[in-house]
Amino acid sequence: MIGPAEENRIKEIVQPILLKGRKGDWEHTLRAIDFGKYLLQNEPADEDIVIATLYLHDIGWSQIDFSDFIQASPARKIETQGLALHMQQGARLADELLSDLGYDPAARRRIVAIIAVHDEPEKIFEMDDPSATMVVEADRLDRYGKQSLQRYLKMFGPDYMETEAWQEGNTLRLDGLNSWFKTATAKALAHKLAVEMGLFD
Ligand SMILES: [Fe+2]
């Protein structure tokens, strides 16, 4: 189990890095952690892996030019260089940071392997590792709910909900309810947040 001192150390290290990434990445990470902690209360997984991975999963954005990601339509973001690079660079930087922190090499390898594919749910689910699955669930839960609306406005501009991209994103979110979540706890929460954000209206 990850202790409060260890968690605070990682948190202090990632905050300035995440603030250099996309707008809202730091707040997104904190919400993903909250989702992860909630899932951990209800589903089996390795807490130390899930929490450390969630803090580190998006640090790669700080290392790259992500303008192609911001400009691409929601359905095309998956094909952008930026998306691929943030996973690759995030995995590299996480490996360095965890080495510096003296992390156990086996845990470090597991965390780095998850970060390297965290935005490709199919690859994560193929790992057949409940902790990897939980990272994707906690990350993707932040695409739903009222707080996520604020995140999109910050990242893509104040008129984002007026755009076709928003509608396209909502189609992905509706499909995502059936493809991004495996555990009963995550599925139920995603559905509740989807209702709250008006996805079915
Ligand atoms: Fe990411």
Side-chain angles (χ1 to χ4, degrees):
M1 190 182 134
I2 193 164
E6 196 182 344
E7 183 176 341
N8 275 330
R9 254 170 103 201
I10 298 187
K11 197 171 171 178
E12 276 171 21
I13 291 169
V14 299
Q15 183 178 19
I17 301 174
L18 288 165
L19 290 172
K20 281 189 233 145
R22 299 171 305 172
K23 284 181 190 159
D25 273 352
W26 168 239
E27 293 81 2
H28 156 62
T29 298
L30 295 178
R31 286 193 298 274
I33 297 283
D34 284 344
F35 286 132
K37 287 182 177 174
Y38 169 75
L39 296 176
L40 281 162
Q41 285 170 13
N42 297 281
E43 302 288 346
D46 292 334
E47 183 183 350
D48 46 355
I49 298 289
V50 171
I51 298 300
T53 310
L54 283 172
Y55 273 115
L56 294 160
H57 79 283
D58 269 345
I59 57 176
W61 293 110
S62 68
Q63 309 291 302
I64 63 157
D65 173 359
F66 49 79
S67 47
D68 67 336
F69 173 85
I70 297 291
Q71 282 153 22
S73 81
R76 300 213 156 249
K77 288 189 192 301
I78 185 73
E79 302 162 8
T80 61
Q81 185 83 343
L83 190 86
L85 279 177
H86 101 280
M87 291 190 273
Q88 187 195 97
Q89 291 301 310
R92 178 197 55 78
L93 184 55
D95 197 34
E96 265 176 49
L97 296 174
L98 293 171
S99 288
D100 292 348
L101 283 168
Y103 251 68
D104 163 65
R108 173 161 55 92
R109 275 195 295 276
R110 222 170 133 199
I111 292 167
V112 168
I114 298 170
I115 295 173
V117 293
H118 75 267
D119 268 326
E120 297 178 85
E122 333 69 54
K123 286 193 186 167
I124 288 283
F125 299 147
E126 272 170 27
M127 293 167 96
D128 208 15
D129 173 351
S131 302
T133 295
M134 191 173 283
V135 167
V136 165
E137 289 180 333
D139 184 20
R140 302 242 161 181
L141 277 167
D142 196 38
R143 298 189 184 192
Y144 301 85
K146 291 202 170 139
Q147 286 178 312
S148 83
L149 294 180
Q150 294 307 316
R151 177 183 179 219
Y152 292 116
L153 298 182
K154 257 192 185 176
M155 208 183 294
F156 303 117
D159 301 326
Y160 191 59
M161 284 172 75
E162 269 42 86
T163 63
E164 244 173 75
W166 174 249
Q167 291 309 323
E168 195 181 307
N170 280 337
T171 305
L172 294 181
R173 266 184 282 281
L174 277 171
D175 292 346
L177 288 173
N178 298 311
S179 56
W180 297 341
F181 306 99
K182 290 280 173 207
T183 66
T185 307
K187 282 183 184 179
L189 181 55
H191 190 272
K192 178 173 163 264
L193 293 170
V195 170
E196 279 174 23
M197 83 190 296
L199 203 56
F200 301 110
D201 299 348

